[in-house]
Amino acid sequence: MSGSPPPPGGFVRRVGLFQATAINMSQMCGIGPFVTIPLMVTAFGGPQAVIGFVAGAVLALCDGLVWAELGASMPGSGGSYVYLRQAFRYRTGRLMPFLFVWTAMLFIPLIMSTGVVGFVQYLGYLAPGLGRTAGDLIGLGVIALVVLLLWRGIEHIARITAVMWAVMIASVLLVIVAAATHFSPNMAFTYSAGAFNVMSHHYWLGFAAGLTIGIYDYLGYNTTAYMGAEIKDPGRTLPRSILLSILGIMAIYLLLQIGTLGVVDWHRMTDPHDIAATSVASAVLEETWGRGAADTVTVLILVTAFASVFAGLLGGSRVPYDAARDRVFFRPYAKLHPRHQFPVLGLATMGVITAVGFLIGRHTDLATLIQLLTTVMVIVQALAQIIALTVLRRRRPELPRPYRMWLYPLPSVVAFAGWCVIYGYADRNSPGRRPIEWSLAWLALGCVAFLVWARRERVWPFGPKETGEEVGAGRNALEVS
């Protein structure tokens, strides 16, 4: 049964529906919309930028249904690692789950890096004289504090997350309410000529860039899937936490985007020297309730950003643990803290990569960092996982499925198409940066690492290809069936 105790030395199921939804929403919201609204407006060239958040919501919902079915049927720690291992072990042995963990060790910390970049960006509103070196040191200090707070048992972390979730809700609601008190429909809904010209190549370039920014803002709806071994009644809680968090954040984002456009002239958001381009939420509060209110809400936004990084590293640090425990990744990652039972090396590694990504983001730009992390995650996680859902329905019809995707396979098709658009337009929206080439280079390096690891472990292609049910996700599924 789903409430059965975990195996000795494993995780403990202590996270309920409210806490699971709070973890997802804290990771999803964070600093994202507060720093990407200007990016979205710049991509679309006007207030029609709301299209980007709607498109991102549609993609998140469709992809979320994929996560919901897979997470409910195989609620082990590691998320995609578990699903890819079950689906692709018949043809490529342990290659796909290894590559997922390899790419996740990069794109998850990069997502956290954007949150810390946004944190320092908004801190600049409270301290206009903050220099680059001081900002770098503060950002690194924030990352160190997050790792320190996560260096404890999950029951304490769940309580901390619930508090930070409340602060996140308060910060976005205050911005939404402030915008509503001074809302100008003329500013929010006046579009330039050709704003919706779908026959224009520039429109689709803007749409692809907006879709990338939009899905980045929704990333995190799958955080609890990485923590499946710590979720109470995962067959019901996981799907509900995913869907509730997406719908809740979608409502928040639309109100936030439209409200902001009704208070701050969108032209200001495209001027890198204007405060509205770097701290748009603070600009809204300053325009409506004055500087004092703006300072107060900015502090809440900083807490929200911190909560996002906290929740992201909480879930992400679990990814390599189960893979290493099942001999699909480097063995040292299988060790848990002897007292608090959290994955020590996974947390430490992702903390270090988050710090490196933060410094890279500070010395390039946020849009480029977003393009890079999305292209890195598309092939092995997004596209391969959608394929895995179909493969498992055909190969494993007997697999317990407490939740089944609504309108299957339509959401899968929509999600697959959306991720392909994001990947296909990545280089065009980042001229000179070449995120596709970087993502392929990282994937190729992962293939080399797999061959080295496989030779040491004497598995396919240097040994037998395991296709039995005795390992990996099969064990995770049995634990909760």
Side-chain angles (χ1 to χ4, degrees), residues 161-464:
T161 300
V163 172
M164 291 192 291
W165 176 82
V167 174
M168 179 271 291
I169 291 295
S171 63
V172 294
L173 287 181
L174 283 172
V175 176
I176 290 170
V177 171
T181 60
H182 291 70
F183 184 75
S184 169
N186 187 55
M187 290 178 62
F189 302 114
T190 298
Y191 309 104
S192 58
F196 300 99
N197 182 13
V198 296
M199 302 303 294
S200 169
H201 178 64
H202 293 290
Y203 174 86
W204 290 109
L205 278 176
F207 178 85
L211 179 61
T212 303
I213 296 168
I215 194 60
Y216 159 77
D217 282 330
Y218 286 97
L219 289 178
Y221 53 85
N222 51 8
T223 300
T224 47
Y226 293 131
M227 303 169 57
E230 298 165 271
I231 303 295
K232 297 177 183 177
D233 191 11
R236 293 166 59 88
T237 301
L238 268 174
R240 291 181 179 184
S241 69
I242 291 171
L243 296 178
L244 287 175
S245 60
I246 292 173
L247 293 174
I249 291 296
M250 177 174 62
I252 289 173
Y253 281 177
L254 291 178
L255 290 173
L256 193 63
Q257 169 80 62
I258 295 172
T260 299
L261 289 168
V263 173
V264 178
D265 185 347
W266 69 267
H267 293 91
R268 292 180 57 193
M269 302 183 200
T270 63
D271 181 0
H273 302 293
D274 195 301
I275 194 65
T278 56
S279 308
V280 67
S282 302
V284 169
L285 267 297
E286 190 173 305
E287 290 279 343
T288 55
W289 294 348
R291 178 70 193 217
D295 288 346
T296 301
V297 173
T298 300
V299 171
L300 294 180
I301 291 173
L302 293 177
V303 175
T304 298
F306 185 89
S308 173
V309 178
F310 182 91
L313 285 181
L314 166 63
S317 63
R318 270 65 179 167
V319 173
Y321 164 75
D322 215 41
R325 187 176 61 162
D326 289 336
R327 294 177 58 229
V328 182
F329 202 61
F330 301 106
R331 294 190 183 189
Y333 285 92
K335 295 180 180 179
L336 292 176
H337 190 279
R339 178 181 177 187
H340 299 302
Q341 297 294 292
F342 67 87
V344 177
L345 190 56
L347 177 59
T349 302
M350 289 197 174
V352 171
I353 298 176
T354 298
V356 174
F358 161 71
L359 293 175
I360 293 174
R362 285 276 291 170
H363 293 273
T364 55
D365 60 85
L366 188 58
T368 297
L369 198 57
I370 292 174
Q371 290 281 2
L372 177 60
L373 71 89
T374 50
T375 52
V376 167
M377 68 179 286
V378 164
I379 296 178
V380 178
Q381 176 175 294
L383 299 183
Q385 183 165 289
I386 294 170
I387 295 172
L389 176 67
T390 300
V391 170
L392 287 170
R393 281 209 174 195
R394 293 178 179 178
R395 283 191 175 271
R396 297 291 308 279
E398 82 290 351
L399 192 68
R401 290 180 172 85
Y403 169 82
R404 297 177 70 90
M405 176 187 287
W406 302 331
L407 302 177
Y408 175 84
L410 181 60
S412 295
V413 174
V414 173
F416 195 92
W419 287 114
C420 286
V421 169
I422 288 174
Y423 196 80
Y425 278 83
D427 279 354
R428 299 184 186 184
N429 285 309
S430 297
R433 302 292 187 183
R434 300 297 182 185
I436 291 180
E437 283 81 351
W438 281 106
S439 68
L440 292 176
W442 183 254
L443 190 61
L445 187 60
C447 291
V448 174
F450 172 77
L451 292 174
V452 173
W453 172 86
R455 187 174 184 84
R456 176 182 298 178
E457 296 288 335
R458 297 181 180 178
V459 297
W460 183 90
F462 303 102

